[in-house]
Amino acid sequence: QEQLLVEESMDPHIVLSLGEDFLAGEVVYNSTSPVLEQWIRKKFGRKTRLHGGVAPLLFTESLPGVELQPPFYISILHTRHLPSGGTVRRHGDWDLSVYENYLFAFEAKPPFAIVKVGQKLLPLLPGRSVFYCLVAFPTQMLRVSGDGDSDDSDELMILYGAGDATSRTLRLPLQRLHEFLE
């Protein structure tokens, strides 16, 4: 039986059922990820807030340079933190905070464990928001087929807001995806 699911949280990775009324239902999977925990320690040295951003894309085929067994999902996580690495805790910190966005991959079957997190920032161009923080916030990710007969020209199109004021697009060839999932 097919079931609509939605991600509620990154750490832990919580997946909820989605009802016919499109309201979030029960927790169907709740998993921690050693891969994600290691990434957080390496990147920030301690716990930080992680957020999802876009609906994940299912890949049923291998991708060049990406060492994952298909099928798997790819999505984007983002962090919002102070340039010093500190966590944004109060309203006055907003003007100093920055958003960073990374690709991550997770299993296409229960428990939907996160298996890879990119080390390299996605090259999204942020804008300064009304709160003065630098924001690049992905809203959607699509797989776009190229003009050729092969998958070599396929790409990800990431739509995002910059500074809560401007819409922007990043086009990332699938041939380069491994750069952002290493």
Side-chain angles (χ1 to χ4, degrees), residues 75-113:
S75 190
I76 299 172
L77 67 81
H78 80 266
T79 65
R80 190 184 89 217
H81 57 86
L82 300 174
S84 64
T87 301
V88 177
R89 297 192 187 282
R90 59 186 207 285
H91 187 69
D93 290 340
W94 271 88
D95 59 342
L96 303 173
S97 65
V98 293
Y99 280 63
E100 292 183 342
N101 299 278
Y102 301 88
L103 288 181
F104 75 99
F106 62 97
E107 296 173 332
K109 61 185 185 309
F112 304 104

Side-chain angles (χ1 to χ4, degrees), residues 3-24:
Q3 181 180 23
L4 289 175
L5 303 173
V6 63
E7 288 177 293
E8 179 190 57
S9 167
M10 296 295 304
D11 183 29
H13 196 216
I14 297 175
V15 179
L16 306 174
S17 62
L18 193 64
E20 291 178 13
D21 54 5
F22 294 102
L23 295 176

Side-chain angles (χ1 to χ4, degrees), residues 7 11 14 21 35 41-42 57-58 60-61 77 102-103 106 125 128 134 137 141 152-153 169:
E7 288 177 293
D11 183 29
I14 297 175
D21 54 5
V35 170
R41 279 193 307 276
K42 182 177 178 184
L57 292 178
L58 177 64
T60 57
E61 76 282 2
L77 67 81
Y102 301 88
L103 288 181
F106 62 97
L125 300 173
R128 196 154 305 275
L134 291 174
F137 189 82
M141 183 169 62
D152 291 354
S153 58
T169 303

